[in-house]
Amino acid sequence: MIALIDCNSFYASCEQVFRPDLQNKPVVVLSNNDGCIIAANKQAKALTNIPMFQPIFKIKKILDANNVVCFSSNYTLYSDMSRRVMDTLKNFSHIVEEYSIDESFIDLSLYNEKDLETVAINIKETVYKNTGIPVGVGIAKTKSLAKMANKFAKKHIENDNVYVVNTEEKRKHLLQNSKVKDIWGVGKKHAVRIENTGCKTALDFANMEVAWVRKQMTVIGERLWRELNGLPCLEMITIPKPKKAIGTAKSFGYKLTDYRLIEEACSYYVAEVADLLRQQKSVATQIQVFLTTNYHSEYDKQYQQSITITLSSPTNSTIKLTQQALTGLKKIYKTGFRYKKVGVNLLHLVSEDQVQLNLFNVDHKITSKKITDTIDILNSKFGKNKVKLATVGNREKQWALIKEQRSPRFTTQWDELMTIGKK
DNA sequence: TCTGGGGTCCTAGGACCC
DNA sequence: TCTGGGGTCCTAGGACCC
């Protein structure tokens, strides 16, 4: 049996852990640049007209009228809280798959099946006691059913955030009471196609002809169909696979026209992704740079362009990647536009030790590696970005994201610890 | 004025090879 | 009317997830 544990309104819950005064109050967390809502707690969700992913300026009035507390996103805090939750889960099973920042699958086959209800409640209570984060638990024979059981448990309050599918009756009850669009892996497009055949519930889908499913939804759909019928097709992935691509693309805090500033932002992003690349001990064979104006704007002239450069030899050197990225950026940049976003993608990543050495730049490679290693060591000792390339610039980041309401990084910064009582 | 960001997997079709 | 057959690699695009 597999359990899916999912944190309730994770980002908002993280904020509330350190702000007990916000218990039972509506709380939302905003995206980068404070652009739109990416998380809302129960109380905020209960207010109608707070749709997720809506630009904040459209619903500002509703937020204010209801005294909704808004936070800028604070990923440093959320990552650390996530680690605490995951550590707690490891006490319940040795087979844990960290599926995302706020959910995990864990294998419970060592437990007696009739005890699972108790185990589920125990997991929920222990995580809350250790971290302050409320979670939901869904348990079933397959990942897809566990995922749906979890969602079902949250939706129907009488389940108190726990649902265990340990009988055929409960499987049918779960699927009968879930809509097609609630099936994990069925998005908008497939939901329409499925419903057009007359299916209304997840159970109807599970009873469809598998040939139709295969044809319309490929092998992914067939796996899902089997999983809903109790046949496990998705394995537990306990060792995270190295990423095949690493990218970043963030909107600027302000529209940019100045090439120099865009270049600084681009260099900064290259340093970020190159760092992640080295952490997973990979090298990139291609780098892609793209630049775009604000496509939402009706006034601005629109322009977007991207360029993909194949590197002469695969690398994870910030220096080399920056050189290539800026060469690319120069090619696609055109004057006369107000730019909104620049992005960098590292593509076709391969393991460091699988690289085919290019005979002709061995020397260069080694020198470059020494510099990169030294920069990494210094930065891990003295703090992120203390040592950087000159192209990143040293002035205030005029392109930086807007984060007006970020909470303190309570758990990772000594100077941002919580204070109690008078100073 | 203000509209997120980072991924995965699969398939079809083109280019190319023998 | 008939129009080889088998294969690989790559890319773009679709669909989905959190």
Side-chain angles (χ1 to χ4, degrees):
Chain A
M1 295 288 264
I2 293 171
L4 186 267
I5 295 101
D6 176 313
C7 302
N8 300 351
S9 320
F10 182 57
Y11 297 168
S13 297
C14 288
E15 300 291 351
Q16 283 180 296
V17 168
F18 295 92
R19 289 289 302 276
D21 57 308
L22 299 180
Q23 278 256 308
N24 303 317
K25 300 226 171 98
V27 171
V28 299
V29 176
L30 310 178
S31 65
N32 284 327
N33 284 320
D34 294 346
C36 57
I37 295 178
I38 53 169
N41 72 350
K42 200 170 57 184
Q43 287 78 12
K45 278 180 189 150
L47 300 169
T48 48
N49 306 323
I50 299 202
M52 301 283 266
F53 302 103
Q54 273 293 298
I56 195 95
F57 72 94
K58 281 192 182 167
I59 52 169
K60 187 104 181 61
K61 277 186 186 157
I62 307 170
L63 296 177
D64 289 345
N66 291 286
N67 294 316
V68 177
V69 183
C70 300
F71 287 95
S72 303
S73 37
N74 182 350
Y75 288 102
T76 313
L77 177 67
Y78 310 150
S79 310
D80 190 57
M81 293 303 285
S82 170
R83 183 189 53 78
R84 295 175 182 207
V85 171
M86 302 306 177
D87 283 351
T88 299
L89 295 180
K90 285 175 192 153
N91 296 328
F92 290 91
S93 173
H94 293 300
I95 304 177
V96 176
E97 173 180 343
E98 290 187 22
Y99 183 72
S100 76
I101 192 165
D102 72 337
E103 36 187 305
S104 263
F105 288 103
I106 71 176
D107 185 299
L108 297 180
S109 37
L110 289 181
Y111 291 89
N112 197 320
E113 249 180 57
K114 65 181 192 321
D115 298 334
L116 287 178
E117 199 94 32
T118 321
V119 175
I121 294 169
N122 194 4
I123 291 175
K124 186 183 75 167
E125 289 176 352
T126 310
V127 173
Y128 188 73
K129 193 180 83 187
N130 289 3
T131 66
I133 302 287
V135 299
V137 183
I139 298 179
K141 230 192 277 180
T142 69
K143 279 180 161 183
S144 306
L145 283 170
K147 180 83 185 173
M148 289 187 68
N150 178 294
K151 190 168 186 174
F152 183 80
K154 284 186 183 174
K155 199 167 180 178
H156 302 272
I157 41 168
E158 69 275 12
N159 295 306
D160 203 18
N161 282 310
V162 169
Y163 194 79
V164 182
V165 184
N166 48 5
T167 63
E168 177 60 13
E169 286 70 43
K170 287 181 96 176
R171 184 186 76 92
K172 285 208 167 130
H173 180 72
L174 167 68
L175 295 181
Q176 180 82 61
N177 290 287
S178 300
K179 295 192 183 116
V180 169
K181 67 175 173 51
D182 292 332
I183 302 171
W184 184 45
V186 172
K188 267 189 193 150
K189 296 279 165 73
H190 284 326
V192 172
R193 273 179 226 165
I194 295 166
E195 279 164 357
N196 282 344
T197 69
C199 283
K200 289 195 174 63
T201 67
L203 188 60
D204 294 338
F205 172 72
N207 290 333
M208 280 179 95
E209 288 284 332
V210 66
W212 184 93
V213 176
R214 173 73 189 217
K215 184 136 190 254
Q216 298 292 321
M217 300 170 66
T218 78
V219 62
I220 297 180
E222 180 170 343
R223 267 185 221 136
L224 175 61
W225 181 91
R226 290 181 186 276
E227 285 241 322
L228 295 188
N229 282 300
L231 301 161
C233 296
L234 305 173
E235 287 179 0
M236 294 283 286
I237 303 167
T238 49
I239 301 163
K241 293 183 188 151
K243 296 213 162 59
K244 294 174 180 171
I246 297 177
T248 190
K250 291 169 203 142
S251 300
F252 304 126
Y254 308 90
K255 300 291 176 306
L256 298 185
T257 51
D258 180 358
Y259 180 72
R260 290 289 310 164
L261 289 173
I262 297 171
E263 196 179 60
E264 283 182 18
C266 183
S267 304
Y268 188 87
Y269 295 160
V270 173
E272 274 188 340
V273 290
D275 198 38
L276 294 172
L277 184 66
R278 291 193 295 273
Q279 278 176 34
Q280 73 163 35
K281 301 205 184 306
S282 297
V283 289
T285 55
Q286 283 190 323
I287 183 166
Q288 181 179 59
V289 181
F290 64 90
L291 186 62
T292 143
T293 51
N294 179 11
Y295 58 88
H296 292 293
S297 170
E298 290 171 15
Y299 327 100
D300 288 322
K301 277 185 295 175
Q302 298 293 313
Y303 174 72
Q304 42 200 307
Q305 191 55 260
S306 83
I307 186 168
T308 306
I309 297 164
T310 301
L311 302 159
S312 57
S313 61
T315 183
N316 57 19
S317 149
T318 302
I319 298 171
K320 283 204 208 167
L321 291 167
T322 306
Q323 282 167 352
Q324 294 299 319
L326 295 185
T327 307
L329 180 66
K330 193 164 269 170
K331 282 189 189 152
I332 59 174
Y333 173 83
K334 280 209 251 174
T335 47
F337 295 97
R338 297 170 73 231
Y339 290 101
K340 172 72 180 160
K341 187 193 276 184
V342 70
V344 180
N345 289 316
L346 304 178
L347 307 169
H348 294 131
L349 311 185
V350 288
S351 166
E352 229 171 20
D353 39 58
Q354 278 174 15
V355 185
Q356 302 207 345
L357 283 176
N358 179 334
L359 261 178
F360 301 103
N361 16 351
V362 171
D363 281 348
H364 185 152
K365 188 180 155 72
I366 291 169
T367 324
S368 180
K369 180 163 167 47
K370 276 186 190 160
I371 299 173
T372 303
D373 287 351
T374 310
I375 294 176
D376 283 346
I377 291 167
L378 290 170
N379 281 340
S380 71
K381 197 165 174 184
F382 296 109
K384 205 181 162 196
N385 289 315
K386 281 288 187 292
V387 181
K388 56 196 172 188
L389 297 189
T391 47
V392 175
N394 209 17
R395 53 185 160 174
E396 191 183 339
K397 296 182 217 152
Q398 291 174 53
W399 42 270
L401 309 169
I402 300 167
K403 282 181 186 268
E404 284 184 345
Q405 303 161 92
R406 202 202 67 214
S407 51
R409 289 163 290 187
F410 294 107
T411 61
T412 55
Q413 300 289 123
W414 286 112
D415 51 356
E416 296 182 19
L417 291 182
M418 194 177 201
T419 51
I420 299 170
K422 286 181 189 160
K423 286 188 183 173

